[in-house]
Amino acid sequence: MSDLAAGKDELRDTDLSDAELSARLAKTWGTARGIIGALSTVDHKIIGRRYIFTAIFFLFLGGLAAIVMRLQLARPENQLIGPDLYNQIFTMHGTTMMFLFGVPIGEAFAVYLVPLMVGTRNIAFPRLNAYSYYVYLAGGLMVWFAFMLNTGPDAGWFSYVPLSGPENAPGKRVDFWAQMITFTEVSGLAVAVQVIVTVFKQRAPGMTLDRIPLFVWAELINAFIIVFSLPAVVTASAMLMMDRLVGTHFFNPAEGGDALLYQHLFWFFGHPEVYIIFIPATGWVSAIVVTFSRRQAFGYLPLVLSMISVGFLSFGLWVHHMFTTGLPQLGASFFTASSMLIAIPNGIQIFCWIATLWDGRPVFRTPLLFVIGFFFIFVLGGLSGIMLASVPLDTQVHDTYFVVAHFHYVLIGGNVFPLLGAVYYWFPKFTGRMMSERLGKWNFWLAFVGFNLAFFPMHITGLMGMPRRVYTYQPEMGWSTYNLLSTIGALVLFVSFVVFLYNMIASARRGPLAGDNPWDAGTLEWATASPPPPQNFNRIPFVINREPLWAEREKLPVATGLAVEKRELVVTTISEARADLRESSPEPSIWPLLAAIATTIAFVGSIFTPWAVVWGGLLVAFTLVGWFWPKNNKEDEA
Amino acid sequence: MRVRPFLIVPIALALSGCTGWQSALDPHGPHADALSRLFWIFLAILGTIWTATILMLLLALRRRRAPDADPLMTRPGTERRMTIVVSCAVALTVMTVMSLAVVSYGAQRVLFAHRDGPLTLLVTGQQFWWKVQYEDASPARTFTTANEIHIPVGEKVLIKLEAGDVIHSFWVPSLNGKMDAIPGRQNEIEIQADRPGIYRGQCAEFCGWQHAHMGLIIVAESRQDFERWRDGQIAAARAPDDPEAQKGMEVFMTKPCIMCHEIRGTSAGGKVAPDLTHVGSRQYIGAGTLPTTRGNIAAWIIDPQRIKPGVHMPLIQLAPEEIQPLAIYLESLK
Ligand code: HEM
Ligand SMILES: [Cu+2]
């Protein structure tokens, strides 16, 4: 026990019984009723739920786009959609999956779970959190509306110049793409900062660095990767915007610009990007493996260190996306070596998880099934990645369906399967109800079979010479059977998602009640009610073990002394997590929403006129003044 | 156990399925040969690793174990054994990865050491076709063609790659890997065919609407046949004797066709579209889209946008009676 001792005049948690404390804290930390209340909320759980929901919504949109592509490719010279629509659709698919689903889904889970797992009452900078969600939503809706108005971007998710430049892509299509990047960037960076600060400064007392849950480590490392990589893509997209809108020539070789510069900038972000998608998933996998093998993680330290080294190495590989651009051979070999090197930390993680399962007593529930599926698929994708890392081999398979197969093995295997597992795992925490196991098994098997049927044949079509991003192919190429198989597989995979959706909706209404800790898991998010009350914890837990709930089965030790009538958090030291300060946490506010609207107006406006940067900037500044206007309350400054 | 069919089916499929005239696993030249050998080496090693990993996983899941115990309790003996096994696995990974990198580097050195061969071509990627220029020390023996490249069997051919508009990528999988053609740069790739034959290639970097129909044909033939073909290509187009074809020529010369296309020996001198001097001798029109037949030529000039939507050839108003002669004329340009 530790006592944080608030001021004498304040009502403290030590003064109250459990029930009364809970009720009062819920009032202090709660979200007001009504639409204004909902829009002003700064509760990380409400925002996190919206984030997760929105990211999964975009996953479905991207999936629908994929189904349309697959239907078009089911037969050679199919006439279902023409090249114009096909190009928009594959660009929307890639863009949505990478920027509107892949990056946000990891952060969305962080927003919901990290504060609970580190035992605090809200995320750091909660108003920024609300803002970041609105900006993300606006950016996603913007491109999809543009697409529906037939101005969907059509130069691919990496929009290479000069194809996306002013001469070859007139109109506004690519501008919407580039501006969508800006939206994602702003929201992504904001969340990354929140996560870093939450993990560094708001961990429950006693949660030293080596007691941080693996999932939280994953999200922390992910946040750092985001902070260092996203600026590169924003540089690329901003330069592209300027080439397109104000006539600069960064990428125009005729005027001394360089088309390859864009590729370097893009992939300096783009490679870490795939780890931004993968690293949070390793956190889900770790959490699920530990809980369902009923054993603490084998190799906690190697697991953390390998995540960190993946983070570092991911910045040294970008050139392997450019092996066919005619780079000097020596340089290319360096990137072969570094690309293969990353297999080592990834291998360590896989081995440690298998060892954990080996010594544990696995409980075969749906979350674990998805993790097992992850092993099958992700390992295969990782190994085909080693082929791509070899410069000579890459010259054959680069930009073919082999690559499409490879990256879906790592993205779907490495992110979507763990995600489905994670949803089954944390759904009871989010909603208070369990998801159906029976439907979960159906969901898993359909997804597993459908996925492999859809994507395995693509390895073969790629080796047989089928380039990616083609809207059709000729019958005499001999690719027809494999493509038909892929389409059937994609449909099965899609059905599995329908089952998933149905399971979520039905279980949210009628699923059996979960209770606090239905899986008998060890980490702190299970130490509170499901769904958690607004204050998360009535008393801040005091952590003495990496798996606190396994160590203290009777009753968690707690730290006491926080004020009850106002929003107060414990700030702890970075490494030892010694209680350091009591800090107030911001109240709900409508200004983040207004600021997000102003930002949206500025960003969308600047697609049409560069002056929007000026007047839009003023508008944003105005809302920020409102946001930060000093209240009389001395502590309400965050 | 689930493993076996899961493994064997795809590998059998892969083995049986990968032949074809545009397949990386059906090599017909030394470069592609070396690449496919490298591929099989990688596949064997990586396939073994995958199988071993999954076997370990399945064993881990199926192992019988002690009854319920405290999840936090670990037995030092087991812990030590697992540490040893995991460390060995990591060491094996490191060794595999290093040796694969070395193998790959070896292949790379051999593959990309190109010299100026006796035959050098400049290929320019355009939306959505390939401009092909045969270089020669004597200017009179240089010429331009499109979408179909003839090479002598058994000889190294150096291809310089440029791009006219956006990035394209030159790829003939049964001869070699791909190389990008990038505006403002020149890249090089070497190809060599070991057997006479026709090898298909295709643009491999997304380049716009008709990226899907940006094919290319490589015809590998004996040196004699090649020389005969080259002499034919160097020559200007012969004036047609057939009256229908003459009429077609007249149509061609009076329509906007000449703004974009060149027919050497006539007044048509456009440079932005494929050279048509010997279009009738090529196997395909529309960059590998349709076989060169009179009917296909007619269909193409009636409405290129229907066959290849987004192609940079506009629809040209022609009277119905002009189409047939025009097609006959173009077909006669052998
Ligand atoms: C229903 C599941 C999915 C199916 C059937 C599917 C199918 C496809 C297909 C056929 C392509 C190739 C398009 C072309 O080259 O013409 C593609 C591209 C792509 N997919 Fe998926 N996909 C699925 C899910 C995902 C997911 C979950 C992600 C990421 C997390 C993803 C990321 C991408 C990316 C980045 C591209 C490249 C787009 C581009 O070339 O610009 N896909 N997908
Ligand atoms: Cu192209």
Side-chain angles (χ1 to χ4, degrees):
Chain A
M1 297 261 171
S2 99
D3 192 351
L4 302 162
K8 285 258 154 41
D9 44 343
E10 283 167 328
L11 182 61
R12 296 203 272 148
D13 51 8
T14 35
D15 307 337
L16 298 168
S17 73
D18 282 356
E20 197 187 348
L21 175 66
S22 181
R24 287 195 183 224
L25 279 173
K27 195 151 154 281
T28 309
W29 287 86
T31 291
R33 285 177 185 284
I35 183 89
I36 298 292
L39 294 176
S40 316
T41 186
V42 291
D43 184 334
H44 74 100
K45 295 177 293 301
I46 298 179
I47 295 170
R49 226 162 43 208
R50 290 178 190 165
Y51 240 119
I52 294 172
F53 180 83
T54 311
I56 292 182
F57 171 71
F58 282 121
L59 171 69
F60 273 86
L61 281 186
L64 281 175
I67 293 299
V68 177
M69 289 193 291
R70 274 321 322 169
L71 290 176
Q72 163 68 14
L73 293 175
R75 293 189 298 131
E77 297 292 2
N78 201 357
Q79 300 286 333
L80 182 69
I81 54 176
D84 181 27
L85 190 55
Y86 186 88
N87 292 352
Q88 289 184 60
I89 286 183
F90 84 67
T91 305
M92 288 303 289
H93 169 73
T95 301
T96 302
M97 290 303 193
M98 299 306 272
F99 293 105
L100 301 176
F101 163 70
V103 179
I105 191 70
E107 296 200 313
F109 268 77
V111 166
Y112 194 104
L113 287 173
V114 163
L116 284 165
M117 280 196 176
V118 301
T120 184
R121 289 198 165 144
N122 205 351
I123 198 161
F125 312 125
R127 290 186 181 173
L128 185 62
N129 192 25
Y131 171 80
S132 77
Y133 170 73
Y134 294 124
V135 168
Y136 155 57
L137 180 67
L141 293 180
M142 177 197 72
V143 262
W144 274 92
F145 276 123
F147 170 69
M148 283 181 234
L149 299 174
N150 195 28
T151 30
D154 58 355
W157 85 272
F158 33 91
S159 283
Y160 274 0
V161 290
L163 184 63
S164 60
E167 304 83 14
N168 295 294
K172 292 293 173 202
R173 289 179 167 186
V174 172
D175 299 310
F176 281 107
W177 178 85
Q179 208 53 299
M180 182 280 309
I181 302 280
T182 322
F183 278 97
T184 310
E185 155 93 0
V186 169
S187 63
L189 280 180
V191 178
V193 170
Q194 293 152 210
V195 170
I196 292 173
V197 175
T198 309
V199 176
F200 276 172
K201 298 304 296 175
Q202 289 184 203
R203 299 200 307 278
M207 187 181 278
T208 50
L209 287 181
D210 63 347
R211 290 180 191 155
I212 297 181
L214 285 165
F215 171 81
V216 174
W217 268 116
E219 293 288 0
L220 176 67
I221 292 159
N222 189 44
F224 275 106
I225 303 181
I226 289 176
V227 167
F228 288 109
S229 69
L230 278 188
V233 71
V234 151
T235 313
S237 72
M239 285 158 92
L240 176 62
M241 284 287 267
M242 283 195 266
D243 271 11
R244 294 176 56 85
L245 295 175
V246 295
T248 54
H249 293 289
F250 291 116
F251 304 131
N252 181 358
E255 298 285 341
D258 185 1
L260 274 191
L261 172 63
Y262 178 87
Q263 297 191 15
H264 282 293
L265 283 173
F266 187 88
W267 290 116
F268 186 79
F269 146 82
H271 198 83
E273 153 85 341
V274 303
Y275 288 97
I276 293 174
I277 293 178
F278 176 59
I279 296 266
T282 64
W284 300 327
V285 172
S286 292
I288 292 171
V289 164
V290 168
T291 300
F292 290 88
S293 58
R294 316 231 48 76
R295 183 198 187 283
Q296 59 172 319
F298 172 80
Y300 175 87
L301 189 62
L303 279 169
V304 172
L305 291 180
S306 39
M307 283 193 280
I308 295 176
S309 47
V310 166
F312 275 108
L313 285 175
S314 71
F315 285 91
L317 320 178
W318 79 96
V319 169
H320 73 206
H321 297 267
M322 299 168 63
F323 281 161
T324 63
T325 56
L327 296 166
Q329 293 303 318
L330 183 67
S333 328
F334 169 78
F335 286 96
T336 295
S338 62
S339 308
M340 289 191 176
L341 217 57
I342 206 163
I344 296 168
N346 280 324
I348 296 177
Q349 286 176 289
I350 301 278
F351 301 143
C352 287
W353 288 321
I354 294 182
T356 310
L357 286 165
W358 178 281
D359 189 46
R361 281 160 294 275
V363 184
F364 292 93
R365 305 293 292 271
T366 308
L368 187 63
L369 279 187
F370 277 104
V371 166
I372 295 170
F374 150 85
F375 281 112
F376 275 79
I377 297 170
F378 178 78
V379 173
L380 202 154
L383 294 174
S384 64
I386 293 189
M387 292 191 180
L388 300 176
S390 153
V391 177
L393 276 185
D394 188 57
T395 64
Q396 280 291 24
V397 290
H398 175 69
D399 264 336
T400 69
Y401 261 85
F402 188 92
V403 168
V404 178
H406 156 72
F407 67 70
H408 285 89
Y409 267 77
V410 286
L411 290 174
I412 297 189
N415 178 285
V416 178
F417 271 71
L419 167 70
L420 293 179
V423 171
Y424 278 89
Y425 180 51
W426 278 296
F427 190 85
K429 187 50 60 181
F430 298 157
T431 63
R433 289 175 188 276
M434 306 295 287
M435 281 176 86
S436 153
E437 273 293 313
R438 199 170 48 84
L439 287 176
K441 300 248 151 68
W442 275 99
N443 186 176
F444 169 74
W445 284 108
L446 286 170
F448 188 75
V449 171
F451 171 82
N452 285 297
L453 187 57
F455 291 97
F456 195 85
M458 291 187 193
H459 291 107
I460 301 172
T461 41
L463 289 165
M464 287 174 75
M466 183 164 170
R468 70 194 273 205
R469 302 170 155 188
V470 290
Y471 77 102
T472 191
Y473 52 94
Q474 285 146 301
E476 64 269 25
M477 302 307 302
W479 305 329
S480 313
T481 318
Y482 296 113
N483 273 294
L484 186 61
L485 283 179
S486 286
T487 301
I488 296 171
L491 290 171
V492 176
L493 183 57
F494 192 75
V495 170
S496 82
F497 275 91
V498 175
V499 172
F500 174 63
L501 189 66
Y502 173 78
N503 196 354
M504 279 200 295
I505 295 172
S507 307
R509 295 231 210 96
R510 297 187 300 272
L513 288 178
D516 292 5
N517 190 1
W519 311 111
D520 187 23
T523 39
L524 282 182
E525 78 274 27
W526 303 103
T528 180
S530 310
Q535 70 273 28
N536 289 354
F537 302 95
N538 294 335
R539 295 193 163 85
I540 301 298
F542 186 90
V543 178
I544 52 164
N545 190 289
R546 197 177 294 150
E547 306 286 345
L549 303 191
W550 283 348
E552 299 291 330
R553 290 202 170 261
E554 303 306 313
K555 196 165 177 357
L556 276 183
V558 290
T560 51
L562 284 178
V564 175
E565 308 282 56
K566 61 181 204 212
R567 296 180 173 222
E568 212 171 58
L569 304 167
V570 190
V571 172
T572 47
T573 55
I574 289 195
S575 61
E576 311 274 271
R578 259 181 287 106
D580 197 9
L581 298 166
R582 290 176 299 115
E583 176 70 35
S584 67
S585 176
E587 301 282 330
S589 158
I590 194 72
W591 284 105
L593 173 65
L594 300 180
I597 293 173
T599 310
T600 305
I601 294 172
F603 284 175
V604 177
S606 62
I607 292 176
F608 297 93
T609 157
W611 288 104
V613 175
V614 178
W615 50 253
L618 286 176
L619 205 57
V620 174
F622 169 74
T623 55
L624 291 185
V625 169
W627 179 337
F628 291 105
W629 196 259
K631 311 279 176 345
N632 286 336
N633 181 351
K634 166 171 142 302
E635 307 221 32
D636 191 27
E637 285 162 358
Chain B
M1 247 187 221
R2 224 175 297 124
V3 218
R4 293 257 262 352
F6 192 83
L7 242 190
I8 286 167
V9 171
I11 288 184
L13 270 178
L15 284 171
S16 65
C18 294
T19 54
W21 64 337
Q22 186 172 313
S23 172
L25 298 185
D26 190 16
H28 286 274
H31 306 91
D33 246 346
L35 286 172
S36 86
R37 211 159 339 128
L38 194 61
F39 171 78
W40 292 113
I41 295 175
F42 268 64
L43 183 67
I45 295 175
L46 299 174
T48 313
I49 297 179
W50 186 82
T51 316
T53 314
I54 294 302
L55 276 177
M56 287 304 282
L57 171 72
L58 292 178
L59 283 178
L61 292 173
R62 301 199 136 211
R63 216 168 71 94
R64 244 190 265 149
R65 51 207 97 215
D68 248 12
D70 179 354
L72 288 181
M73 208 182 66
T74 53
R75 279 148 300 153
T78 322
E79 221 57 12
R80 188 158 14 88
R81 274 197 301 281
M82 289 203 302
T83 311
I84 294 171
V85 173
V86 168
S87 314
C88 290
V90 174
L92 268 176
T93 314
V94 174
M95 269 152 48
T96 322
V97 162
M98 276 179 6
S99 37
L100 287 177
V102 170
V103 173
S104 157
Y105 183 62
Q108 178 185 345
R109 282 227 335 248
V110 181
L111 274 168
F112 300 111
H114 24 105
R115 294 160 286 282
D116 262 333
L119 192 58
T120 305
L121 276 64
L122 174 63
V123 172
T124 309
Q126 304 273 0
Q127 278 178 332
F128 305 96
W129 59 282
W130 304 91
K131 179 172 171 181
V132 179
Q133 289 162 287
Y134 277 74
E135 303 191 334
D136 199 284
S138 120
R141 291 186 60 78
T142 64
F143 64 93
T144 302
T145 175
N147 301 332
E148 185 171 310
I149 295 172
H150 286 235
I151 58 171
V153 163
E155 294 181 33
K156 290 189 160 54
V157 179
L158 183 70
I159 297 185
K160 300 185 199 161
L161 289 166
E162 289 183 357
D165 35 43
V166 303
I167 303 176
H168 303 271
S169 192
F170 178 92
W171 185 38
V172 185
S174 32
L175 299 184
N176 201 347
K178 60 183 72 61
M179 182 55 77
D180 292 354
I182 302 172
R185 285 176 187 252
Q186 192 181 70
N187 282 335
E188 290 182 350
I189 188 170
E190 191 177 75
I191 57 173
Q192 176 180 339
D194 283 340
R195 261 159 293 168
I198 297 177
Y199 309 112
R200 195 178 187 279
Q202 190 165 353
C203 174
E205 177 66 61
F206 177 61
C207 59
W209 278 36
Q210 283 303 331
H211 172 54
H213 292 119
M214 186 166 163
L216 124 115
I217 295 282
I218 305 249
V219 180
E221 54 200 1
S222 68
R223 187 79 204 182
Q224 276 165 331
D225 289 346
F226 171 73
E227 291 298 347
R228 201 170 314 125
W229 173 83
R230 177 154 71 170
D231 292 338
Q233 297 288 314
I234 291 171
R238 259 179 296 122
D241 336 302
D242 174 66
E244 274 290 275
Q246 279 169 351
K247 192 171 157 225
M249 178 168 169
E250 213 167 288
V251 175
F252 191 92
M253 297 307 155
T254 51
K255 293 284 172 185
C257 318
I258 53 172
M259 316 236 310
C260 300
H261 293 286
E262 170 160 30
I263 299 182
R264 281 176 274 132
T266 73
S267 57
K271 298 277 189 205
V272 299
D275 180 295
L276 298 181
T277 311
H278 299 288
V279 63
S281 75
R282 296 185 211 140
Q283 308 202 1
Y284 283 85
I285 59 169
T289 305
L290 295 173
T292 310
T293 64
R294 191 178 298 178
N296 282 340
I297 297 179
W300 176 266
I301 52 191
I302 289 171
D303 189 358
Q305 295 296 332
R306 201 182 59 78
I307 293 168
K308 220 171 141 171
V311 69
H312 292 310
M313 171 162 163
L315 191 158
I316 290 163
Q317 292 303 330
L318 293 167
E321 67 276 10
E322 291 173 333
I323 289 165
Q324 182 76 353
L326 194 50
I328 294 176
Y329 170 61
L330 291 176
E331 198 196 9
S332 78
L333 293 172
K334 297 278 186 200

